[in-house]
Amino acid sequence: MRNEPHRVDAYLAALAPEQRDVLSRLRATVRAGAPDAHEGIAYGMPAFYSGTRFLVSYAAFKRHLSLFPASNGVLEQLAEPLRENFAGKGTIQFTVEKPLPDEVLREIVRIPLAEVADSAQD
């Protein structure tokens, strides 16, 4: 589970080029927002962790892409910009044609990182 970027690379390599491009950009945006996070595979999907705490995972499906933030704060604080992307509890769906904006992705990463920092102080 920890420090497995080679498995993430393999996951992305197996995707259609359009999906790979969008998820590679998502990966780079998450990595930039959480430079100390490490990558792994969780439930068959690429994921980022801060220490032992899960931050986000993402996946490609036949008709859409999904992002799974491990934070109720994301769902609460970003309800307005993500309202058309919510698909069930804790799932944010988007498409190759309409990927998530980078500024929204940065907020999706910032919120759980802040929660991890807050919980470390408790």
Side-chain angles (χ1 to χ4, degrees), residues 27-69:
R27 180 187 190 192
T29 303
V30 172
R31 187 180 296 139
D36 295 330
H38 57 273
E39 295 182 274
I41 298 289
Y43 302 102
M45 299 178 288
F48 280 89
Y49 298 84
S50 178
T52 59
R53 176 100 183 255
F54 175 83
L55 294 175
V56 297
S57 62
Y58 55 94
F61 299 92
K62 187 174 182 178
R63 293 191 171 92
H64 68 274
L65 306 169
S66 289
L67 179 66
F68 306 93

Side-chain angles (χ1 to χ4, degrees), residues 22-33:
V22 172
L23 290 184
S24 292
R25 183 174 175 176
L26 181 146
R27 180 187 190 192
T29 303
V30 172
R31 187 180 296 139

Side-chain angles (χ1 to χ4, degrees), residues 74-85:
V74 167
L75 306 177
E76 293 166 4
Q77 294 178 45
L78 298 177
E80 182 58 31
L82 291 173
R83 76 178 176 281
E84 68 182 46
N85 300 93

Side-chain angles (χ1 to χ4, degrees), residues 50 53 112-122:
S50 178
R53 176 100 183 255
L113 280 175
E115 292 170 351
V116 168
D118 288 347
S119 68
Q121 294 176 7
D122 291 340

